[in-house]
């Protein structure tokens, strides 16, 4: 989940608490929002520099070992180095929660799970691991690789095909809530993803035994984008969203689609999530092998310890790289030595930004043989109208559409006229509309409309007297089109509810017919011209609203949990603080053997640390266990001398074991209460 999604779910009191954090005050006074602060690298670097040592250690552990995966307190403690106590882990996590760097959710049984936002993770990887190479430094080694070819129209083009089919023929649902088998087969036939490329993503989705994976992905994206909405009997095309979506430049469509795909299919486990982020640092056009990405992770301690480099590389290829090649964002290639390599053909996460200027719209070529050649720079808004009046014959870098009598008839049935069709073709044809094509189009369209079927509604009266009474009702004339015999009237179909109310008021009770069709006849939407800038403005609001009503199931249940509305303050970390003698926290001195034992036991119970004077040196001890030893007792744990470690914490020593009398002064340390020593 991204920062924006999490912020939208934040309870008001939680947001107010975070806005009171002193570190955010300068930027909030300038008018920035918390959402902007949490994804601003410069701001977060400043925040990081003001975190306490335990907070830094916890943040490092979360980014390194959890990444975007939900985690609980136990998993966090296991991910931390041994010298950090459980109490320090709780205090450090509480500090991150108070600043909104991590969010807490309450499970149905009361326990908590925690989450680092996905875009926050990407930003923190840059802040905490600046040594990760920008471009892997491998590009020159594979300059002689040969690409294996493109992948058709890409994800945006495949989605366009499903939307066009929805407009042309509708997407009627069965009583089970799925599309009909024939329509599924027809839609699947038009999808050009290379078979098997999406299988490695491991997606689970509704109606998995009915929909092919590739079609399920496209329907899911259309639903999440709000371009299709679920009706009672069909999937309905939303014209407003469609118009803004198709007017967006392709790069910005890619940005939105890439973000959705990340939310659906980001690989599980921190190593591959680090790999996904690292891939985004490879410049466009530079060849790289998956193994090189894993090697960089290993060099930086981010590959984990559970899998070999070969296993991680194979998972990276199957779960993430292969789908991106299917979507046209990555190209696969081979080196002369037979090594499989990849390169970005586009960097979809960048989009193009709000400041991206509108570019000159491409034009297609209408051939005398009724073929239409469509270069890649022709906008989807133009292709939309083309799909209404012609048939797609092939989709590739240059697509081919064909005009036919049947395709023109379809356009006429969807409300176009012959003049509109010719005007559209002339306006967007690079070399004009061939005379023979225009003449033929006019001839094909000429018979249309001379005769037509009209859906009519018949009002049948019981007898002639009733019919005469109905005809004389005040206001009935506006509903009655004409008589159809002595007892029947043809009624305006779109006015049935009003006419029914009038009849009921007059003492008649005429039930509405089944499927009376007050809905308008489906039409292939005719889109109004819109600039890319206008589309960006409209789409920004639609995108912010978002939708989670897709077919694909989330890998995590955290989205179903309630966000915790409060953050733990320091006293909340120690609910029985009043039972601890104040002297144990305040006085650094020698204690009686029995008191020493009690203090060690309390430290183990609270998972916290002790400050000890050992051989003239102050040492922090995180006790793990006590045991009886030859008439006395000993304590085993991690001993640490003051100093700076890799994450800004203390310098770590090896695990130590001390007998009861081996240290002099001591004090109990509670992070946030008396953690200075």
């Amino acid at each position: 989940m991204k920062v924006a999604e999490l912020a939208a779910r934040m309870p008001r009191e939680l947001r107010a608490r975070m806005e009171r954090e002193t570190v955010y005050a300068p930027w909030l006074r300038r008018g920035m929002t918390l959402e902007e602060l949490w994804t601003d690298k410069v701001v977060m670097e400043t925040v990081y520099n003001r975190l306490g040592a335990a907070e830094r250690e916890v943040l490092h552990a979360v980014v390194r070992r959890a990444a975007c995966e939900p985690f609980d307190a136990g998993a966090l403690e296991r991910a931390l180095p041994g010298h950090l106590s459980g109490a320090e882990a709780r205090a450090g996590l509480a500090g991150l929660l108070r600043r909104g760097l991590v969010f807490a959710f309450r499970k149905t049984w009361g326990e908590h799970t925690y989450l680092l936002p996905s875009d926050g993770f990407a930003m923190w990887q840059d802040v905490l691991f600046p040594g990760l190479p920008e471009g892997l430094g491998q590009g020159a080694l594979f300059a002689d690789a040969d690409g294996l070819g493109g992948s058709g129209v890409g994800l945006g083009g495949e989605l366009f095909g499903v939307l066009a089919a929805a407009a042309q023929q509708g997407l009627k649902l069965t009583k089970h809530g799925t599309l009909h088998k024939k329509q599924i087969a027809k839609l699947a036939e038009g999808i050009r993803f290379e078979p098997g490329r999406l299988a490695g993503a491991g997606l689970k989705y509704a109606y998995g035994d009915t929909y092919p994976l590739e079609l399920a992905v496209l329907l899911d994206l259309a639903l999440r984008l709000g371009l299709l909405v679920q009706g009672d009997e069909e999937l309905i095309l939303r014209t407003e969203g469609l118009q803004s979506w198709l007017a967006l430049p392709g790069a910005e469509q890619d940005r939105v689609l890439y973000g959705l795909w990340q939310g659906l299919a980001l690989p599980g486990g921190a190593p591959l999530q680090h790999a996904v982020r690292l891939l985004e640092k490879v410049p466009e056009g530079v060849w790289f092998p998956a193994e090189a990405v894993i090697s960089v992770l290993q060099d930086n301690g981010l590959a984990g310890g559970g899998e070999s480099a070969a296993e991680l590389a194979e998972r990276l290829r199957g779960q993430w790289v292969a789908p991106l090649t299917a979507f046209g964002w990555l190209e696969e290639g081979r080196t002369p030595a037979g090594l499989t390599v990849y390169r970005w053909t586009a960097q979809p996460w960048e989009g193009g930004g709000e400041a991206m200027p509108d570019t000159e719209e491409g034009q297609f070529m209408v051939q005398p043989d009724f073929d239409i050649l469509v270069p890649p720079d022709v906008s989807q808004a133009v292709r939309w109208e083309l799909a209404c009046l012609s048939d797609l014959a092939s989709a590739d870098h240059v697509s081919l559409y064909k005009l036919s009598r049947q395709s023109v008839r379809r356009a006429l049935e969807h409300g176009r006229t012959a003049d509109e069709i010719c005007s559209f073709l002339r306006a967007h044809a690079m070399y004009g509309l061939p005379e023979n094509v225009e003449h033929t189009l006019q001839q094909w369209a000429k018979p249309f409309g001379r005769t037509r079927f009209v859906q009519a509604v018949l009002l049948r009266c019981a007898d002639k007297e009733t019919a005469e009474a109905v005809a004389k009702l005040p206001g009935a004339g506006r509903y009655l089109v004409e008589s159809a015999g002595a007892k029947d009237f043809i009624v305006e179909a779109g006015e049935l509810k009003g006419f029914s109310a009038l009849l009921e008021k007059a003492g008649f009770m005429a039930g509405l017919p089944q499927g009376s069709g007050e809905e308008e006849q489906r039409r292939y939407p005719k889109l109004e011209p819109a600039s890319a800038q206008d589309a960006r403005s409209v789409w920004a609001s639609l995108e912010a609203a978002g939708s989670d009503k897709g077919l694909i199931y989330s890998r995590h249940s955290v989205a179903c949990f309630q966000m915790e509305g409060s953050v733990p303050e320091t006293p909340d970390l120690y609910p029985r603080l009043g039972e601890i003698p104040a002297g144990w926290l305040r006085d650094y001195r020698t204690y009686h053997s029995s008191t020493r034992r009690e203090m060690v036991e309390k430290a183990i119970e609270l998972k916290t640390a002790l400050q000890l004077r050992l051989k003239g040196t102050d040492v922090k001890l995180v006790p793990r266990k006590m045991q009886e030893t030859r008439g006395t007792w000993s304590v085993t744990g991690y001993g640490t001398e003051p100093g700076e470690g890799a994450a800004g914490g203390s310098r770590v020593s090896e695990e130590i074991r001390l007998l009861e009398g081996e240290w002099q002064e001591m004090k109990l340390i509670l992070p946030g209460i008396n953690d200075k020593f």
Side-chain angles (χ1 to χ4, degrees):
M1 297 177 73
K2 293 186 176 181
V3 161
E5 298 172 79
L6 292 165
R9 299 181 60 177
M10 271 199 302
R12 185 177 302 174
E13 62 273 17
L14 177 61
R15 186 182 192 93
R17 170 63 182 83
M18 292 177 179
E19 288 176 339
R20 292 196 297 271
E21 281 293 312
T22 306
V23 70
Y24 293 144
W27 292 286
L28 293 175
R29 282 197 295 267
R30 296 176 200 166
M32 295 182 71
T33 64
L34 287 176
E35 293 90 329
E36 291 170 332
L37 300 182
W38 288 328
T39 53
D40 189 304
K41 184 178 176 182
V42 174
V43 173
M44 287 298 104
E45 284 176 333
T46 303
V47 172
Y48 177 75
N49 290 332
R50 297 184 188 178
L51 294 178
E55 292 167 338
R56 292 190 191 186
E57 291 269 17
V58 170
L59 182 58
H60 267 265
V62 170
V63 174
R64 184 186 294 271
R65 298 298 179 213
C68 305
E69 295 289 294
F71 62 93
D72 57 27
L76 175 61
E77 285 189 33
R78 292 190 295 273
L80 288 165
H83 71 276
L84 209 67
S85 69
E88 287 174 303
R90 293 194 300 275
L93 179 59
L96 302 184
L97 290 168
R98 285 194 288 271
R99 294 173 179 86
L101 307 185
V102 171
F103 290 83
F105 292 82
R106 185 183 294 275
K107 297 181 180 180
T108 52
W109 50 94
E111 295 181 358
H112 286 96
T113 188
Y114 305 95
L115 188 71
L116 180 72
S118 57
D119 41 358
F121 160 70
M123 184 271 304
W124 282 117
Q125 191 197 68
D126 291 342
V127 172
L128 302 183
F129 303 99
L132 288 178
E134 289 298 319
L136 293 173
Q138 302 289 326
L141 298 180
F142 309 109
D144 55 354
D146 291 323
L148 300 183
S151 55
V153 296
L155 182 56
E158 298 289 0
L159 177 60
F160 174 89
V162 170
L163 297 173
Q168 288 173 356
Q169 60 208 24
L171 297 177
K172 288 287 187 180
L173 300 174
T174 68
K175 63 181 180 180
H176 302 295
T178 65
L179 298 176
H180 292 269
K181 288 184 178 180
K182 287 185 178 179
Q183 191 163 43
I184 292 172
K186 188 173 182 180
L187 289 170
E189 185 181 345
I191 298 173
R192 293 165 174 81
F193 289 139
E194 189 174 339
R197 288 281 177 172
L198 306 187
L203 301 176
K204 306 295 182 185
Y205 54 93
Y207 313 118
D209 57 346
T210 302
Y211 291 140
L213 172 59
E214 293 78 8
L215 177 58
V217 167
L218 296 174
L219 290 175
D220 179 276
L221 293 173
L223 289 165
R224 290 180 191 275
L225 290 168
L227 304 176
L228 292 176
V229 292
Q230 181 96 24
D232 293 335
E233 298 180 351
E234 65 180 320
L235 297 178
I236 303 167
L237 197 64
R238 287 186 65 244
T239 304
E240 180 192 12
L242 176 70
Q243 179 157 313
S244 299
W245 174 254
L246 296 183
L248 285 177
E252 293 188 41
Q253 286 189 357
D254 281 345
R255 176 188 62 78
V256 176
L257 293 171
Y258 183 77
L260 285 176
W261 182 251
Q262 272 198 321
L264 295 172
L266 188 69
L272 288 193
Q273 290 177 8
H274 278 289
V276 168
R277 174 63 181 143
L278 183 56
L279 280 176
E280 295 173 4
K281 298 180 181 181
V282 183
E284 187 174 327
V286 173
W287 292 107
F288 63 90
E291 290 79 3
V293 179
I294 303 304
S295 178
V296 170
L297 296 183
Q298 289 179 319
D299 293 344
N300 288 272
L302 298 174
E307 294 177 276
S308 69
E311 290 171 330
L312 281 174
E314 186 59 32
R315 280 214 297 134
L316 177 61
R317 278 191 289 266
Q319 294 182 24
W320 190 250
V321 173
L324 297 195
T325 61
F327 298 157
W329 295 326
L330 280 174
E331 180 185 6
E332 184 176 328
R334 296 281 189 279
T335 68
L339 179 66
T340 300
V341 290
Y342 306 91
R343 65 179 173 187
W344 291 106
T345 59
Q347 296 186 316
W349 56 91
E350 292 187 346
E354 292 298 319
M356 181 179 176
D358 294 345
T359 56
E360 187 175 341
E361 194 172 85
Q363 295 181 300
F364 50 70
M365 288 159 279
V366 182
Q367 307 284 66
D369 62 357
F370 301 92
D371 285 353
I372 302 176
L373 302 177
V374 185
D377 60 349
V378 174
S379 72
Q380 284 195 349
V382 172
R383 291 171 188 258
W384 181 257
E385 196 64 17
L386 265 181
C388 178
L389 57 91
S390 59
D391 295 314
L392 178 64
S394 65
D396 211 321
H397 188 67
V398 174
S399 297
L400 174 63
Y401 287 80
K402 286 182 175 290
L403 288 164
S404 66
R405 184 190 299 271
Q406 190 61 34
S407 71
V408 170
R409 174 176 177 169
R410 181 179 66 229
L412 295 170
E413 289 172 344
H414 283 291
R416 278 55 168 179
T417 66
D419 288 342
E420 286 175 337
I421 293 172
C422 293
S423 177
F424 167 78
L425 292 173
R426 282 195 299 269
H428 298 283
M430 187 179 300
Y431 304 114
L433 181 61
E435 186 176 331
N436 72 301
V437 173
E438 181 168 0
H439 176 74
T440 303
L441 290 176
Q442 293 286 357
Q443 290 300 311
W444 283 341
K446 192 172 182 179
F448 187 83
R450 290 186 176 180
T451 58
R452 62 193 180 110
F453 290 102
V454 176
Q455 278 193 323
V457 177
L458 189 72
L459 175 68
R460 172 151 288 166
C461 301
D463 47 49
K464 183 178 179 181
E465 290 73 19
T466 302
E468 290 174 351
V470 167
K472 292 177 182 178
L473 289 174
R478 62 171 288 196
Y479 301 110
L480 302 177
V481 177
E482 59 182 278
S483 297
K487 300 187 298 180
D488 302 330
F489 298 96
I490 296 174
V491 179
E492 185 67 49
E495 300 282 358
L496 290 187
K497 276 191 177 178
F499 192 27
S500 177
L502 185 147
L503 290 172
E504 191 164 339
K505 189 174 180 180
F508 300 101
M509 191 177 294
L512 291 173
Q514 280 280 21
S516 56
E518 287 197 278
E519 320 162 348
E520 294 182 6
Q521 183 182 1
R522 180 187 297 108
R523 296 276 179 166
Y524 191 105
K526 185 183 293 184
L527 305 181
E528 297 298 324
S531 70
Q533 194 61 42
D534 290 340
R536 292 184 191 104
S537 177
V538 175
W539 184 256
S541 61
L542 294 172
E543 186 181 9
S547 172
D548 57 358
K549 297 180 180 179
L551 298 177
I552 298 173
Y553 302 134
S554 172
R555 287 196 303 110
H556 303 300
S557 56
V558 66
C560 303
F561 299 148
Q562 182 179 4
M563 183 179 287
E564 182 59 72
S566 61
V567 292
E569 306 297 339
T570 300
D572 300 330
L573 303 176
Y574 312 103
R576 299 172 65 184
L577 181 62
E579 299 177 9
I580 300 174
W584 291 8
L585 304 174
R586 183 182 63 246
D587 300 328
Y588 186 47
R589 63 183 179 83
T590 59
Y591 288 91
H592 185 272
S593 175
S594 61
T595 305
R596 288 176 174 229
R597 185 179 189 122
E598 288 181 54
M599 292 175 71
V600 172
E601 289 172 340
K602 180 59 70 174
I604 293 174
E605 176 191 338
L606 297 177
K607 294 185 178 181
T608 191
L610 296 161
Q611 181 181 350
L612 307 178
R613 174 59 61 88
L614 180 63
K615 298 178 182 178
T617 302
D618 283 340
V619 173
K620 184 183 82 170
L621 177 72
V622 180
R624 303 299 186 193
K625 64 180 179 179
M626 285 180 58
Q627 59 189 122
E628 301 296 328
T629 307
R630 298 175 185 174
T632 183
W633 53 272
S634 65
V635 58
T636 302
Y638 282 89
T640 309
E641 296 179 10
E644 289 296 317
S650 300
R651 187 169 63 252
V652 182
S653 66
E654 295 181 353
E655 187 177 60
I656 61 174
R657 177 172 172 269
L658 300 174
L659 294 173
E660 181 270 334
E662 285 192 75
W663 68 89
Q664 294 77 50
E665 293 91 349
M666 67 184 300
K667 182 168 67 172
L668 184 67
I669 302 297
L670 295 183
I673 304 293
N674 67 333
D675 45 7
K676 303 293 183 184
F677 73 96

